[in-house]
Amino acid sequence: MFYRDSKPRSHHPYLIGPLLEVLSLVKQAIPSQVRILDLGCGNGSLTSVIARHGYEMVGLDSSEAGIAIARQSFPECKFICSDIYDPPPKDLLQAFDIVLAVEVIEHLLYPRELVRYAKKCLKPNGRLILTTPYHGYLKNLALALTGKLDNHFTVLWDNGHVKFFSVPTLTALLKAEGCTDLQFKFAGRFPYFWKSMICSCRFAEEL
């Protein structure tokens, strides 16, 4: 994705509050400063907001334009230009209390690779926190009945969404990759018509 400036993305206003609540719950159990890897950080605007709440932030994105803007605009955070389909840099391995991916997984042809990348970067018992647009029967039915289905699932948006998750399908993907203790929270609009869902989970310990 190409970025032109450091302005917040359209999903930030309704996601930031609930997301900070989820992060705060994780933070309570960690005695030291919480270190977070923000996958798909784009222009760094959300990374910077979270850093201002006392977290040590590292942002990662494959967009050279986005990372250049982030480095210039938000020098208090560290930013890395890299792709989740490549092996993580060595200094990221098992280095984070939380790996965060905000409205990223729905853009990926191979979403499991994001989960696997996160696992490599998390400390033991660290948590993966994902957000993605919410889809469910009632919401999709309402879109169909109001004639908005084509617009919502448009194929005309370059770099748009290629995966559409519900709670069951996101749960199935995460559990297949060894995730456990899944906790969901929702953001935007009203129950069952939410804009996004937030899932916090950890990886089961390997015997």
Side-chain angles (χ1 to χ4, degrees):
M1 188 175 293
F2 185 76
Y3 296 88
R4 294 180 175 85
D5 54 47
S6 61
K7 293 180 180 178
R9 307 302 302 281
S10 60
H11 53 264
H12 290 184
Y14 62 84
L15 262 178
I16 287 175
L19 181 59
L20 288 172
E21 290 177 13
V22 173
L23 291 172
S24 179
L25 290 174
V26 179
K27 185 179 183 180
Q28 292 173 14
I30 301 173
S32 57
Q33 186 180 32
V34 177
R35 195 162 191 245
I36 299 177
L37 175 62
D38 184 10
L39 296 180
C41 67
N43 63 9
S45 56
L46 183 63
T47 316
S48 176
V49 170
I50 297 172
R52 291 199 293 272
H53 285 79
Y55 300 92
E56 181 185 349
M57 299 297 298
V58 176
L60 183 145
D61 201 284
S62 60
S63 168
E64 293 183 3
I67 292 298
I69 291 169
R71 286 171 175 165
Q72 182 176 6
S73 304
F74 311 111
E76 71 276 13
C77 303
K78 178 180 179 181
F79 294 99
I80 299 168
C81 189
S82 188
D83 199 303
I84 64 161
Y85 294 133
D86 297 328
K90 289 184 178 180
D91 60 340
L92 301 187
L93 296 175
Q94 294 189 317
F96 297 91
D97 302 291
I98 296 171
V99 171
L100 178 66
V102 176
E103 309 295 280
V104 173
I105 197 168
E106 66 273 7
H107 292 274
L108 302 178
L109 287 173
Y110 305 101
R112 288 176 178 81
E113 293 304 316
L114 184 150
V115 182
R116 293 167 184 173
Y117 193 101
K119 183 178 182 180
K120 294 173 184 175
C121 297
L122 281 170
K123 297 176 182 177
N125 211 38
R127 294 194 75 88
L128 168 62
I129 298 176
L130 297 169
T131 87
T132 190
Y134 169 82
H135 294 89
Y137 177 78
L138 287 177
K139 183 177 180 181
N140 290 344
L141 179 61
L143 288 168
L145 291 174
T146 55
K148 296 180 179 179
L149 203 63
D150 284 339
N151 183 63
H152 185 76
F153 292 102
T154 181
V155 298
L156 304 177
W157 174 18
D158 291 343
N159 295 311
H161 299 173
V162 296
K163 301 288 183 179
F164 301 90
F165 290 99
S166 63
V167 171
T169 55
L170 184 58
T171 296
L173 184 147
L174 291 170
K175 286 189 173 180
E177 293 302 319
C179 294
T180 187
D181 189 25
L182 276 67
Q183 301 172 16
F184 281 88
K185 189 176 181 67
F186 303 93
R189 234 180 261 118
F190 48 88
Y192 303 104
F193 292 84
W194 298 292
K195 290 185 177 182
S196 288
M197 54 184 172
I198 304 168
C199 181
S200 171
C201 61
R202 61 181 178 83
F203 289 91
E205 295 182 13
E206 297 180 356
L207 300 178

